[in-house]
Amino acid sequence: MSRRRAVPPTVVPTSGADQSRLPTVSVRPIVQRYFYLPADDIPLTEELVIPATRFVDDHGEPAESFPDHRQEGYFNLYVNGLLQEGQLFRVDSRSVSVASTGQRILAGTPIILESVGFIAKVS
């Protein structure tokens, strides 16, 4: 069994002239919202899949797809203005899937998908 030598921790200066050499990191959110008003009642007796093309963006333009944030973001889903639990929906670039709950989404009920992504800039 080989033994490794302990490596001392790196000391990062917190004040003084050496601090000017540290990079500045800024994190910027990118928020996009997508809106859908169903024309008919939707029974949630089985999983509901809503294609991205049924949504419009903040500018009223038809959506073609949703962003792919990977680990750098998240989605929120609102139905009739109420934030839905994360376990009730999932999003991919082409659609939003809503779990079967046995409830009904009435015609004209706003369904809003909020996309929040983050970009880090090091300078």
Side-chain angles (χ1 to χ4, degrees), residues 1 6 8 11 13 16-17 22 32 49 55 66 69 72 102-103 113 121-122:
M1 182 182 280
V11 176
L22 294 176
Q32 297 168 290
V49 178
F55 287 81
F66 299 126
H69 297 306
E72 292 82 30
Q103 298 173 330
L113 180 67
K121 180 180 177 183
V122 179

Side-chain angles (χ1 to χ4, degrees), residues 48-59:
L48 168 67
V49 178
I50 309 170
T53 55
R54 294 231 179 128
F55 287 81
V56 296
D57 64 17
D58 276 328
H59 305 288

